[in-house]
Amino acid sequence: MSENPLQAIFRAFEQVSGSIQTHLSNFMGQPLHPDRIPGKPLFSVSSSSRANPSNIDSTSAQPKDILIKGKSAPVTKEDLGRATWTFLHTLAAQYPDNPTRQQKRDVKELMSILSRMYPCKECADHFQEILRANPVQAGSHTDFSQWLCHVHNVVNRSLGKPIFPCERVDARWGKLDCEQRECDVLGTTTTTSLNFLGQRR
Ligand code: FAD
């Protein structure tokens, strides 16, 4: 039987997508994600999606089942780790030079909660040990970002990953580019809360 024309299009899309990933990884100097094979796309297109044109979202030209069911691209431990480190290092980049007492408490509590609720038991248990040996340093932006870099390196070392030079942490995780201090870490205070512009309410 002759091939459905959509199958050829999807095969071409997969090849281009795999090739872009490989080139981007080379360009950024970062290895491909350990769970990904060079040339293999980030997600695969199921054969039913290929065969069934009604399964295609015409706006993005991606199969609907990828967008809706999300089954084709489960979040791996590595994905979760990268996303979490991105959040934490970004928070550290925004953390003020002179945090309030409440901000210091909040950031310590956040780390403590993370070590209990991180949805990877092995990682959470390990992080609890790391926190016990390395209490959170939250006295200033530099204290917190250097401490975070250090504990990330403890995890890196245990996984056999390269150690990141912590003197370069501000260059790697620069402050967010936000107008009118919209990305400032405000936190809460014990007696009053602050509105978006940092005014008491
Ligand atoms: P990641 O380690 O995720 O780093 C992302 C990016 O951050 C890197 O590309 C680099 O540019 C930058 N970076 C790297 N090191 C530093 C640093 N020290 N300071 C600043 N920036 C840096 N996985 C496990 O298998 N076992 C575990 O026990 C485990 N524990 C974890 C505990 C926590 C709290 C978190 C958040 C993750 C944990 N992970 C664990 C996941 C693991 O740390 C990685 O996120 C995952 O393996 C993906 O690694 P990666 O090489 O893509 O880069």
Side-chain angles (χ1 to χ4, degrees), residues 6 10 36 85 95 111 129 135-136 148 153 156-157 161 169 201:
L6 278 173
F10 278 121
R36 290 192 181 123
W85 288 123
Y95 192 73
M111 293 301 146
E129 276 175 34
V136 181
L148 187 63
N153 275 337
N156 287 342
R157 195 174 295 113
K161 290 180 190 287
V169 79
R201 58 182 176 200

Side-chain angles (χ1 to χ4, degrees), residues 77 81-82 85 89 122-123 149 152-153 156 161 172-173:
K77 187 168 64 175
R82 279 186 285 274
W85 288 123
H89 288 296
E122 163 204 346
C123 312
C149 182
H152 191 166
N153 275 337
N156 287 342
K161 290 180 190 287
R172 170 66 179 87
W173 302 100

Side-chain angles (χ1 to χ4, degrees), residues 30-34 77-86 88-89 111 114-115 118 120-127 130 145-146 148-156 158-159 161-166 168-169 172-173:
Q30 290 181 358
L32 280 172
H33 296 169
K77 187 168 64 175
E78 287 73 25
D79 293 332
L80 179 66
R82 279 186 285 274
T84 306
W85 288 123
T86 297
L88 293 175
H89 288 296
M111 293 301 146
L114 187 72
S115 77
Y118 193 74
C120 153
K121 185 168 172 6
E122 163 204 346
C123 312
D125 290 349
H126 185 205
F127 200 51
I130 293 175
S145 59
Q146 288 297 309
L148 187 63
C149 182
H150 173 68
V151 295
H152 191 166
N153 275 337
V154 175
V155 176
N156 287 342
S158 75
L159 298 176
K161 290 180 190 287
I163 299 304
F164 187 91
C166 288
R168 303 203 53 215
V169 79
R172 170 66 179 87
W173 302 100

Side-chain angles (χ1 to χ4, degrees), residues 36-169:
R36 290 192 181 123
I37 299 160
K40 192 174 175 242
L42 282 168
F43 46 77
S44 61
V45 179
S46 71
S47 52
S48 63
S49 312
R50 287 182 184 137
N52 179 5
S54 68
N55 233 7
I56 309 299
D57 177 348
S58 59
T59 52
S60 63
Q62 287 185 1
K64 274 185 192 165
D65 64 357
I66 287 172
L67 301 174
I68 296 168
K69 293 182 198 157
K71 280 186 182 161
S72 304
V75 174
T76 63
K77 187 168 64 175
E78 287 73 25
D79 293 332
L80 179 66
R82 279 186 285 274
T84 306
W85 288 123
T86 297
F87 163 65
L88 293 175
H89 288 296
T90 305
L91 173 64
Q94 298 299 125
Y95 192 73
D97 291 329
N98 294 303
T100 62
R101 261 184 296 178
Q102 187 62 39
Q103 285 169 328
K104 291 182 212 171
R105 272 198 290 266
D106 284 348
V107 94
K108 288 177 186 174
E109 201 177 330
L110 176 67
M111 293 301 146
S112 170
I113 292 170
L114 187 72
S115 77
R116 282 180 272 128
M117 298 200 72
Y118 193 74
C120 153
K121 185 168 172 6
E122 163 204 346
C123 312
D125 290 349
H126 185 205
F127 200 51
Q128 276 182 26
E129 276 175 34
I130 293 175
L131 286 186
R132 271 195 290 274
N134 302 273
V136 181
Q137 302 296 307
S140 66
H141 159 75
T142 305
D143 283 356
F144 183 52
S145 59
Q146 288 297 309
W147 171 84
L148 187 63
C149 182
H150 173 68
V151 295
H152 191 166
N153 275 337
V154 175
V155 176
N156 287 342
R157 195 174 295 113
S158 75
L159 298 176
K161 290 180 190 287
I163 299 304
F164 187 91
C166 288
E167 67 277 11
R168 303 203 53 215
V169 79

